[in-house]
Amino acid sequence: MLSYLEALRAILDRADFERDRGTPYAQRDWRLARVEELLEQLGSPHRSYATVHIAGTKGKGSTTAMVDAILRAAGYRTGMYTSPHLHTFRERIRLQGEPISEAQLVELVEGILPLLASRPLISVFETITALAMWHFSRSAVDVGVFEVGMGGRLDATNVIHPLVSLITSISIDHVGMLGSTLAEIAGEKAGIIKPGVPVISAPQRAPALRVIRETATRQGAALTLVQSDWRWRVLSRGPGGQHLAVYRRGNGRKPDYPDLFLPLLGEFQLENACTAIAGIEALREQGIEIPVEAVQQGLAQVHWPGRMQVLSREPLVVVDGAHNPYSINQLIKSLPTYLDYERIVLIFGAGRTHRPGELLEVLLPSVAEAYVTEANHPKAASVELLRDMALELEREVQMASSAAEALRQAVAAARPGDLILATGSLFLVAEVMSAWATLQGLPPYPSDPPGAY
């Protein structure tokens, strides 16, 4: 029997085309037929339950979590597939909101290894996707909620034929991989739109919306637009969450959902909530029973850590996994709306491929002090590189050898009333969360064994 570490290595040691930066996305050796062939040998598990498919640049993970929480509140047995993870690989594959167990993952890997032996081109992400789909089938889920890994058209999750497709906000990200323009990137995201399958789009900039409209028309897919067909308005907000009303166009005076509570912070989460509800309504129109009370309960209980999450009120410590200029800008705009503070003390770390210089360019004008550090991840930009990028922006920053050390220094330097903000990547956020738990004597977060990555 494999150990959990051996099972992880059996997955992660495969070809990782997703990290190939040298070959344009559209030209890579990715074939949905290859995933279909593997799944067929597993009994086509992805066809044994209903599915919801969610793509986008910003907010797809949060929206996935909201849809899943609402469906569970309605009494459905759900599987949820997301990426990347914060603390443990097991978070990517969830049943009824709970991460897959180590024993379950080992059993799945042992079962799939004989099939993978003759398929050397099956990639890391394709393997994980197949394992998730198989696990959900073996667990007899009613609905599988799948977040796209990257892009959409060529993503391994795109083998499903969902009841509804959702596309959250699209912005420039993964430049040179998905494309260099908003329209090119939108073309890849819109690749999840299937013939005759209703599609929900969050508010989009004009080039992205045009592509989504054209794709939906070509596929004969009914398109619902959030901020047009479905709308929201804020009722109240604060550090503990926010209340909102959600309604169809024309129902503003008598909202379909007059008062919903959402524990997640950020203007963008209101948009995500409205997008999720529009998706739920598309399911209801297909005969899926989802009471209004389930929408209320699901949103009120949704948990999606590492996104504008308040770890502490005193001192005020916030973590957010924003990793592109658009999401960083949205974060900076949202913070004073929900939290009272005088200055921002920044802890920053980013992946090399996420244009850290551009992230710093957005962040640094809004912060009083900044600490740069390097997450323990192969994609992390070095501390020296981040310092040099800051100097090019005519800002001096402090270098810290680790996220834990950066947190220690930031806490020591913070004045009463300051906000300590850790952002730039989910890798950094996870390490700061773990470091904070250690500082406060809290139970540690789940983790994977050394040598897993």
Side-chain angles (χ1 to χ4, degrees):
M1 180 176 177
L2 296 175
S3 68
Y4 175 56
L5 175 59
E6 288 169 336
L8 285 179
R9 292 280 11 127
I11 298 169
L12 301 174
D13 283 345
R14 299 192 66 79
D16 198 349
F17 299 130
E18 291 80 12
R19 290 187 184 175
D20 174 12
R21 306 291 167 176
T23 306
Y25 181 79
Q27 298 176 20
R28 298 183 190 186
D29 186 20
W30 290 1
R31 295 187 301 112
L32 294 184
R34 182 170 62 218
V35 184
E36 287 274 18
E37 290 163 4
L38 174 61
L39 289 168
E40 185 176 350
Q41 287 192 279
L42 292 171
S44 297
H46 58 308
R47 306 200 186 284
S48 66
Y49 45 85
T51 56
V52 176
H53 205 191
I54 302 172
T57 304
K58 177 69 177 175
K60 58 188 169 120
S62 302
T63 305
T64 300
M66 292 178 196
V67 171
D68 179 77
I70 292 169
L71 289 171
R72 283 190 283 115
Y76 294 101
R77 184 171 174 81
T78 68
M80 183 172 76
Y81 180 57
T82 59
S83 60
H85 59 270
L86 265 178
H87 302 289
T88 170
F89 177 92
R90 298 184 295 107
E91 297 166 8
R92 295 172 179 241
I93 304 173
R94 292 177 180 264
L95 184 67
Q96 290 293 84
E98 294 299 321
I100 187 172
S101 70
E102 292 185 6
Q104 287 171 324
L105 185 67
V106 167
E107 183 180 354
L108 289 171
V109 172
E110 288 182 331
I112 204 173
L113 278 180
L115 303 181
L116 295 177
S118 60
R119 298 177 178 274
L121 292 182
I122 292 288
S123 73
V124 170
F125 188 74
E126 290 167 344
T127 302
I128 303 168
T129 303
L131 289 172
M133 292 175 173
W134 193 25
H135 180 55
F136 297 160
S137 179
R138 286 161 51 114
S139 303
V141 304
D142 300 309
V143 187
V145 188
F146 288 86
E147 177 194 3
V148 166
M150 183 173 65
R153 182 176 62 90
L154 296 175
D155 190 80
T157 62
N158 207 26
V159 297
I160 62 176
H161 193 86
L163 294 178
V164 62
S165 303
L166 285 69
I167 302 177
T168 64
S169 177
I170 297 173
S171 57
I172 299 293
D173 200 9
H174 298 293
V175 174
M177 299 176 69
L178 301 182
S180 57
T181 69
L182 202 58
E184 289 174 338
I185 294 170
E188 296 296 341
K189 308 283 187 184
I192 71 166
I193 299 175
K194 303 292 195 307
V197 175
V199 57
I200 314 298
S201 175
Q204 308 287 356
R205 284 180 279 178
L209 181 57
R210 182 172 60 253
V211 171
I212 291 171
R213 282 187 185 276
E214 291 172 352
T215 306
T217 298
R218 188 168 60 250
Q219 296 282 41
L223 174 61
T224 297
L225 299 177
V226 171
Q227 210 172 43
S228 176
D229 302 309
W230 279 92
R231 303 176 181 183
W232 76 90
R233 65 169 172 263
V234 183
L235 303 177
S236 64
R237 51 193 163 195
Q242 47 196 332
H243 288 262
L244 69 156
V246 175
Y247 53 94
R248 299 175 198 267
R249 179 172 50 188
N251 286 5
R253 293 187 177 181
K254 193 175 181 181
D256 303 69
Y257 298 93
D259 188 0
L260 299 169
F261 175 70
L262 182 66
L264 307 180
L265 305 185
E267 296 278 353
F268 49 88
Q269 297 294 12
L270 300 172
E271 176 182 304
N272 295 336
C274 191
T275 303
I277 289 171
I280 290 295
E281 288 295 322
L283 293 177
R284 294 177 71 180
E285 290 170 5
Q286 296 177 67
I288 308 297
E289 293 187 12
I290 304 169
V292 170
E293 294 76 17
V295 176
Q296 296 170 330
Q297 182 182 344
L299 279 189
Q301 295 178 347
V302 70
H303 181 61
W304 195 239
R307 284 76 173 177
M308 203 168 163
Q309 180 180 356
V310 178
L311 297 185
S312 167
R313 298 282 183 88
E314 196 170 323
L316 183 56
V317 181
V318 175
V319 293
D320 189 278
H323 58 267
N324 64 46
Y326 173 80
S327 55
I328 288 286
N329 189 54
Q330 292 300 305
L331 170 63
I332 293 298
K333 285 183 178 179
S334 288
L335 285 171
T337 303
Y338 296 87
L339 303 168
D340 292 324
Y341 59 90
E342 295 179 7
R343 307 184 313 155
I344 295 178
V345 178
L346 175 68
I347 300 172
F348 180 80
R352 294 186 303 274
T353 61
H354 285 141
R355 301 181 288 165
E358 294 183 29
L359 304 186
L360 285 169
E361 189 174 5
V362 177
L363 278 166
L364 290 177
S366 301
V367 308
E369 297 184 41
Y371 298 83
V372 295
T373 189
E374 181 177 348
N376 184 25
H377 192 279
K379 291 172 60 177
S382 70
V383 176
E384 292 77 15
L385 177 62
L386 297 179
R387 177 204 57 196
D388 292 345
M389 288 177 169
L391 289 175
E392 289 179 8
L393 296 169
E394 300 183 346
R395 278 293 301 266
E396 290 190 6
V397 297
Q398 303 297 317
M399 295 193 298
S401 58
S402 66
E405 178 59 21
L407 178 63
R408 188 192 66 78
Q409 292 185 32
V411 169
R415 304 172 184 172
D418 281 354
L419 162 62
I420 299 170
L421 171 66
T423 190
S425 78
L426 281 175
F427 311 128
L428 173 79
V429 163
E431 292 184 19
V432 169
M433 291 173 70
S434 293
W436 181 255
T438 299
L439 278 176
Q440 299 301 304
L442 300 173
Y445 290 95
S447 63
D448 293 325
Y453 304 101

